């Protein structure tokens, strides 16, 4: 399992391709030796040193053994160490691929798309059955966030976001038979930011299609049996039936190079090595072709699997994992024979110094003005060494350290950061971890991306140490570790003690996700206990609701002081429980009860009525019944409601409210009769307005009877009548009314209503009847002013 030592002379493994150099280094001796035969399997690997998925190739004849009767998918690290294995029972597999979160995507012929973690656990599923119909799927291409499938009726369907799949058909291609080959340009490399599909039909051209249309690139040098897109999406490598490898710009306006491989047999694999060369693999031969027609041939006695990376290619075989890449310019500058670059001179000076040769001083003096540049170059070269090249990394860092000791005021931060980064990369490169990541890949993925991959593989300790080393937040690592603990068969008490002990010293860490995992695992008591430590009620309460811990959720919501959370729980309990249970829970929570009453008064009177009735608050129930009755436009229903309220007031011994309600019922009945006999609108008028309207309609006798029935005081009735008559300007009736009997309100009101209606002459009739001399004199003065005006 140990990684092999690098050659002492770095250039011994270099191969020249025109004016550039490439190096191929062994990274691992594969742990699966003798267990995996790549000639009889289908392999698919995740980028950034990711895992390898292996399954039996159904197109090839395999000797059936007792242990491989049922098809399976095995997941390995890049070092060949098995991570997990899952039995495959879902149907014929069309293709596999990996997401940017290292989820294995499996596409089945019937249109089912399944996603698995690196541990073989299903984490997602959706179907394209509607889009593929009865003819199923023929092929697929998967990228970091989406996929494109070719259906049985030769149509392309794209899903741009696997997390929220929304399949959409791409433009119709008019294909009558399956294409010879096809590839995709990922959305981040297109102007439209949508995936584009390159299709090579038998006619010899290439079609470029997306959801908006199809463009024929009018090529004539096909048909093409292989198409490969460069890692930056700018170049396309096409292999034709005649054996010609051509490289095009992604808009097909330029053919950048053309190379005759002399082979009309299509390569089994064709991938880019960075953005400078193309690798073609036939059985036993790996051919690298450069932009100027130069080539390098590598010979393999066993089958290999090529994994394109952003800066090179991983070569997986039954025995080893190798990394092939272009030699970085700074590395070439240092090691190239005869180089006089400052970094090369510094490297030589360090070696001479170790050999106690005075020539070291001469080399340093020759680059004194460029010494800082040389230190930076050696530092960068150390970072760009291939995974596992510890010896060369140390030599280059030693050279950089040697050089900076002769510099005053040199900022060592770049050197320090590179040492940190290399320590991390070498740790994850160890065969037990099996992530052979280069500096370029690490910078592309980011430290947090690497940490996420480690915790997904359950390397929590290493992930935690990296976070601690880089001063990153460790919450995600600890939460993921705790979730995995919860899924283990350990006893609840032991698990909770372990988790609480580990997380106790991390301020503000959320227990909600851990508790949710425990609940889904069927450990309700453990989940409830863990939620007691959740500091954020907004995360705690909804989870308690989902766990059917309604009463506890309500208590936590009230403790938080967040009225929105209280309303959330109260309304949930109302929806999910029987009324009697709901009222029982609410009754002992005064805060929740007050908020519910406030809500019901605005939104749900019936619930408030039921609530008061359950709590035997008859007077409040009657009040709500009155409000409810007045929401009815139909007077009969309103009377029924008021009658119910009257009964409740009587039961509650509220005599005043009972009497008021009884009189209101009596008034409504009267107003109903008046509308039936006299017409007009009487309903909803007050008693005063009802009397006034009757007087206005000349129904003084009816008004007098109602006054008697409702025991309206004389003073109030006289005021109503004189106001009505004066507003009607019925001065004759007003005078007649004043003479019926002695006025209980005196005669000053008669004068006032006349003046209010601009009838000073009429007012003059009533002034002599005013008993008080001062009041009478005042009225005469008012009349005088009226006349003068």
């Amino acid at each position: 399992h140990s990684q092999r030592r690098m050659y002492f002379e770095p250039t011994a493994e270099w191969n020249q391709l025109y004016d550039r150099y490439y190096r191929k280094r062994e990274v691992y001796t594969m742990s699966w030796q003798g267990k995996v035969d790549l000639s009889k399997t289908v392999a698919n690997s995740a980028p950034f040193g990711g895992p390898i998925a292996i399954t039996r190739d159904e197109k090839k004849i395999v000797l059936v053994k007792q242990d491989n009767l049922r098809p399976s998918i095995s997941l390995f690290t890049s070092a060949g160490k098995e991570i997990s294995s899952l039995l495959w029972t879902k149907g014929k597999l069309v293709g596999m691929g990996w997401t940017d979160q290292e989820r294995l995507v499996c596409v089945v012929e019937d249109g089912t798309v399944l996603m698995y973690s690196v541990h073989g656990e299903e984490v997602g599923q959706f179907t394209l059955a509607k889009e593929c119909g009865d003819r199923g799927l023929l092929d697929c291409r998967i990228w970091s966030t989406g996929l494109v499938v070719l259906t049985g009726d030769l149509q392309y369907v794209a899903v741009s976001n696997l997390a929220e799949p929304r399949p959409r058909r791409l433009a119709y291609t008019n294909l009558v038979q399956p294409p010879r080959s096809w590839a995709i340009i990922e959305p981040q490399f297109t102007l439209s930011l949508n995936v584009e599909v390159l299709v090579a039909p038998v006619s010899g051209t290439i079609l470029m299609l997306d959801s908006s249309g199809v463009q024929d690139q009018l090529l004539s040098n096909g048909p093409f049996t292989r198409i490969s897109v460069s890692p930056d999406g700018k170049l396309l490598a096409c292999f034709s039936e005649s054996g010609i490898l051509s490289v095009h710009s992604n808009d097909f306006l330029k053919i950048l190079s053309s190379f005759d491989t002399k082979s009309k047999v299509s390569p089994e694999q064709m991938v880019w090595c960075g953005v400078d060369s193309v690798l073609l693999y036939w059985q036993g031969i790996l051919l690298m072709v450069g932009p100027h027609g130069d080539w390098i041939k590598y010979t393999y006695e066993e089958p290999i699997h090529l994994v394109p990376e952003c800066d090179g290619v991983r070569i997986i075989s039954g025995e080893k994992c190798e990394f092939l890449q272009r030699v970085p310019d700074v590395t070439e500058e240092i090691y190239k024979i005869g180089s006089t670059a400052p970094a090369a001179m510094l490297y030589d000076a360090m070696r001479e110094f170790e050999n106690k040769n005075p020539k070291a001083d001469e080399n340093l003096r020759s680059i004194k003005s460029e010494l800082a540049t040389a230190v930076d170059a050696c530092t960068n070269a150390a970072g760009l060494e291939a995974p596992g090249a510890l010896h060369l990394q140390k030599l280059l860092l030693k050279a950089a350290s040697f050089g900076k000791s002769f510099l005053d005021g040199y900022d060592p931060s770049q050197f320090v950061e590179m040492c940190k980064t290399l320590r991390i990369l070498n740790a994850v490169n160890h065969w037990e971890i099996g992530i052979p990541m280069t500096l370029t890949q690490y910078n592309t993925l980011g430290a947090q991306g690497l940490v996420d991959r480690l915790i997904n593989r359950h390397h929590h300790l290493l992930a935690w140490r990296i976070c601690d080393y880089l001063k990153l937040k460790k919450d995600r690592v600890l939460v993921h570790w705790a979730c995995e603990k919860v899924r283990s068969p350990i006893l609840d008490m032991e698990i909770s003690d372990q988790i609480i002990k580990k997380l106790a010293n991390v301020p503000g860490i959320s227990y909600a996700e851990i508790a949710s995992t425990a609940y889904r695992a069927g450990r309700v008591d453990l989940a409830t206990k863990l939620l007691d430590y959740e500091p954020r009620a907004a995360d705690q309460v909804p989870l308690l609701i989902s766990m059917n811990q309604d009463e506890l959720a309500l208590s936590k919501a009230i403790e938080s002081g967040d009225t929105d959370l209280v309303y959330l729980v109260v309304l949930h309990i109302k929806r999910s429980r029987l009324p009697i249970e709901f009222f029982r829970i609410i009754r002992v929570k005064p805060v929740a009860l007050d908020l519910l009453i406030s809500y019901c008064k605005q939104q749900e009177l019936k619930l408030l009525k039921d609530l008061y009735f359950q709590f035997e608050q008859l007077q409040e129930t009657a009040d709500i019944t009155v409000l409810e009755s007045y929401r009815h436009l139909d007077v009969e229903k309103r009377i029924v409601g008021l009658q119910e309220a009257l009964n409740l007031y009587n039961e509650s011994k509220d005599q005043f409210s009972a009497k008021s309600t009884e009189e209101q019922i009596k008034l409504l009945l009267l107003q109903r009769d008046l509308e039936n006999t006299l017409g007009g609108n009487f309903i909803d008028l007050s008693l005063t307005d009802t009397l006034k309207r009757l007087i206005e309609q000349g129904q003084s006798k009816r008004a007098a009877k109602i006054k008697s029935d409702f025991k309206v005081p004389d003073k109030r009735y006289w005021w109503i009548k004189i106001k009505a008559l004066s507003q009607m300007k019925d001065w004759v009736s007003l005078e007649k009314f004043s003479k019926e009997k002695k006025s209980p309100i005196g005669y000053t009101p008669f004068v006032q209503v006349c003046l209010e209606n601009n009838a000073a002459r009429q007012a003059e009739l009533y002034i002599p009847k005013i008993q008080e001399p001062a009041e009478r004199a005042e009225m005469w003065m008012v009349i005088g002013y009226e006349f003068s005006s």
Side-chain angles (χ1 to χ4, degrees), residues 98-319:
W98 294 88
T99 70
D100 52 5
Q101 297 178 330
E102 286 195 341
R103 298 281 190 253
L104 178 64
V105 181
C106 298
V107 181
V108 187
E109 186 179 37
D110 64 4
T112 304
V113 179
L114 301 109
M115 287 173 280
Y116 296 91
S117 71
V118 291
H119 299 282
E121 302 159 341
E122 187 177 324
V123 294
Q125 178 179 339
F126 63 93
T127 182
L128 301 172
K130 181 180 177 182
E131 286 72 21
C132 69
D134 297 334
R135 302 185 66 179
L137 302 180
L138 299 180
D139 202 357
C140 69
R141 299 287 184 271
I142 299 164
W143 78 93
S144 58
T145 60
L147 58 82
V148 176
V149 298
L150 175 61
T151 67
D153 56 2
L154 304 181
Q155 287 301 294
Y156 287 94
V157 178
V159 175
S160 298
N161 186 354
L162 292 170
E164 297 178 1
R166 293 187 179 90
R168 72 178 192 281
R169 285 184 176 271
L170 302 185
Y172 191 67
T173 57
N174 294 317
L175 293 173
V176 294
Q177 57 181 311
R180 298 302 307 273
S181 62
W182 62 285
I184 61 171
I185 303 178
E186 297 179 19
Q188 65 265 34
F189 303 129
T190 65
L191 291 175
S192 64
L193 297 179
N194 291 315
V195 66
E196 294 180 354
V197 182
L198 305 171
V199 181
V202 293
S203 60
T205 185
I206 287 182
L207 306 176
M208 180 180 285
L209 67 137
D210 57 16
S211 56
S212 60
V214 180
Q215 287 184 330
D216 189 339
Q217 303 305 316
L218 303 176
L219 302 183
S220 58
N221 54 335
F224 300 101
T225 57
R226 291 279 176 187
I227 303 175
S228 181
V229 182
S230 65
D232 60 3
K234 294 179 179 178
L235 303 175
L236 309 170
C238 304
F239 186 88
S240 69
E241 277 189 344
S242 58
I244 304 296
L245 172 67
S246 55
V247 176
H248 304 253
S249 60
N250 62 2
D251 56 7
F252 290 94
L253 295 178
K254 297 178 183 177
I255 297 180
L256 303 177
S257 68
S258 183
F259 177 79
D260 188 355
T261 64
K262 310 294 184 184
S263 172
K264 294 186 178 181
V265 177
S266 178
E268 294 178 20
Q269 299 173 69
M270 184 174 80
V271 299
W272 282 83
C273 182
V275 293
D276 298 302
S277 62
V278 180
L279 287 174
L280 302 98
Y281 172 67
W282 292 269
Q283 187 173 353
I285 297 174
L286 179 63
L287 183 67
M288 173 182 279
V289 180
H292 301 283
D294 296 86
W295 52 273
I296 302 171
K297 186 173 80 170
Y298 301 96
T299 303
Y300 285 88
E301 295 180 357
E302 59 179 342
I304 61 173
H305 169 60
L306 304 177
V307 187
E309 299 281 7
C310 59
D311 59 342
V313 172
R314 264 186 296 152
I315 304 172
I316 309 294
S317 67
E319 291 185 357

Side-chain angles (χ1 to χ4, degrees), residues 398-466:
K398 187 182 288 186
S401 180
F402 176 71
K404 71 184 180 69
S405 65
F406 294 96
L407 290 169
D408 294 327
Y410 179 77
D411 182 6
S413 57
Q414 181 184 352
F415 180 84
V416 173
E417 287 301 313
M418 186 61 73
C419 290
K420 280 185 176 182
T421 302
L422 283 175
R423 188 176 178 187
I424 292 167
L425 293 177
N426 289 328
V428 300
N429 181 61
H430 191 276
W431 75 271
E432 288 188 344
I433 307 299
I435 304 179
M437 187 174 291
T438 64
L439 178 65
T440 304
Q441 294 168 25
Y442 175 74
N443 289 335
T444 303
L445 184 64
Q448 192 59 60
L450 176 58
V451 168
D452 288 345
R453 288 171 183 239
L454 287 171
I455 62 177
N456 285 335
R457 296 196 195 187
H458 297 176
H459 296 304
H460 297 103
L461 179 59
L462 179 57
W464 187 90
R465 285 174 173 167
I466 290 174

Side-chain angles (χ1 to χ4, degrees), residues 494-511:
E494 187 178 344
I495 290 176
S496 65
D497 290 345
Q498 288 181 15
I499 291 174
I500 293 163
K501 184 179 178 181
K502 286 284 185 185
L503 273 58
N505 297 323
V506 185
I509 193 167
S510 175
Y511 287 76

Side-chain angles (χ1 to χ4, degrees), residues 506-665:
V506 185
I509 193 167
S510 175
Y511 287 76
E513 185 179 343
I514 309 168
S516 178
T517 303
Y519 179 69
R520 290 196 299 271
R523 298 181 139 179
V524 179
D525 293 339
L526 176 60
T528 305
K529 183 175 181 179
L530 290 171
L531 271 181
D532 281 338
Y533 294 88
E534 173 55 52
R536 289 176 285 274
D539 293 333
Q540 182 185 46
V541 170
L543 188 53
L544 284 169
I545 291 174
S546 68
M547 292 163 54
N548 297 320
Q549 300 288 322
D550 297 342
E551 295 184 50
L552 182 57
L554 184 56
S555 298
K556 295 295 183 182
I558 293 170
E559 287 172 15
S560 73
D562 187 335
T563 55
D564 289 338
L565 278 179
V566 179
Y567 277 127
L568 175 70
V569 182
V570 168
L571 295 177
H572 164 74
I573 298 173
K574 172 184 169 292
R575 287 191 300 268
S576 60
R577 299 291 188 98
L578 293 172
I580 192 168
E581 287 185 81
F582 171 57
F583 295 137
R584 175 186 60 78
I585 295 169
I586 293 296
R587 185 169 194 168
V588 295
K589 306 288 185 184
V591 174
L593 182 58
D594 291 344
L595 288 172
L596 178 63
I597 290 171
S598 176
Y599 164 80
C600 289
K601 283 180 179 177
Q602 299 178 35
Q603 303 287 338
E604 208 166 340
L605 284 177
K606 186 178 184 306
L607 175 60
L608 185 57
K609 178 182 171 183
D610 294 341
L611 182 71
Y612 283 143
F613 188 78
Q614 284 291 327
F615 296 168
E616 296 182 353
Q617 294 177 264
L618 299 180
Q619 186 173 343
E620 288 80 359
T621 308
D623 292 341
I624 300 301
T625 306
V626 171
L627 290 173
E628 271 190 328
S629 70
Y630 269 87
R631 291 188 172 182
H632 293 298
L633 296 178
D634 182 60
V635 68
E636 301 297 338
K637 291 182 179 179
R638 188 179 298 178
I639 291 169
V640 170
L642 289 172
Q643 187 63 52
E644 182 183 346
L646 175 61
N647 296 334
L648 290 168
Y649 282 131
N650 286 328
E651 286 185 52
S652 66
K653 311 296 185 187
D654 184 352
Q655 297 301 323
F656 174 78
S657 297
K659 184 65 177 174
S660 300
T661 306
E662 184 178 3
E663 289 186 353
Q664 184 62 25
I665 295 171

